[in-house]
Amino acid sequence: MKVRQISVFLENKSGRLAAVTRLLGENGINIRALSIADTTDFGILRLIVNEPEKAYDVMKREGFTVSVTDVIAVAVHDRPGGLAEVLAILEAAGMNIEYLYAFTGKSAGDALVIFRVEDPDGAVDVLTRNGVRVLANGEVRGYGAERV
């Protein structure tokens, strides 16, 4: 159960992030979660969207440097210590996390955490064996949508 993440290389100048979000909106693509990491000259925008394949095609056609990466999405109890419990499972299994980001859904009651790990299949296996709910693409695309 891996989720498709769109990564966009952005020049670090005014209007680039707005251009991406406008392009996605104009094409009916809804952003479910995002993260941006930047340096002095550029940034990497990571997106979970309702239609990742369409988002990739639209952005590529408009000249953005874009790629698709498999990540895992985990439902974490939205309470103090909820994320720590999941991270402890990955730590015990010797899994290294490259990055993560999260959002909460109002009606879902859980936080959704997106992980990029060295071994996504192994992480999914260890998490599900330990009772952690790992979400599929379709679940993430609609996660918390009722509040939008």
Side-chain angles (χ1 to χ4, degrees):
M1 289 185 279
K2 292 176 276 190
V3 174
R4 308 292 283 171
Q5 173 190 267
I6 304 296
S7 297
V8 186
F9 180 84
L10 293 176
E11 294 175 75
N12 200 1
K13 63 183 197 184
S14 179
R16 296 300 288 163
L17 181 58
V20 170
T21 58
R22 184 173 39 251
L23 180 63
L24 293 175
E26 289 170 352
N27 285 279
I29 299 166
N30 197 11
I31 299 170
R32 311 300 319 143
L34 67 86
S35 168
I36 190 162
D38 68 339
T39 65
T40 304
D41 299 324
F42 66 91
I44 298 175
L45 174 64
R46 296 180 174 111
L47 299 160
I48 302 297
V49 297
N50 63 335
E51 297 182 74
E53 294 79 15
K54 182 177 177 182
Y56 176 86
D57 291 342
V58 164
M59 298 182 70
K60 195 77 171 175
R61 186 175 58 240
E62 292 298 319
F64 286 97
T65 301
V66 59
S67 65
V68 178
T69 307
D70 285 334
V71 294
I72 59 173
V74 174
V76 175
H77 298 300
D78 190 14
R79 58 171 167 70
L83 179 59
E85 293 169 1
V86 173
L87 295 179
I89 293 167
L90 294 173
E91 178 187 24
M95 299 269 175
N96 184 39
I97 299 167
E98 296 178 18
Y99 59 82
L100 69 85
Y101 53 98
F103 74 97
T104 59
K106 182 178 178 182
S107 65
D110 291 330
L112 176 65
V113 180
I114 307 294
F115 291 92
R116 170 74 177 155
V117 295
E118 294 172 339
D119 178 11
D121 292 326
V124 168
D125 181 56
V126 74
L127 289 169
T128 54
R129 279 190 287 115
N130 283 278
V132 175
R133 188 169 152 235
V134 179
L135 286 76
N137 256 325
E139 293 175 285
V140 174
R141 291 176 187 173
Y143 198 86
E146 51 277 353
R147 70 181 234 192
V148 175

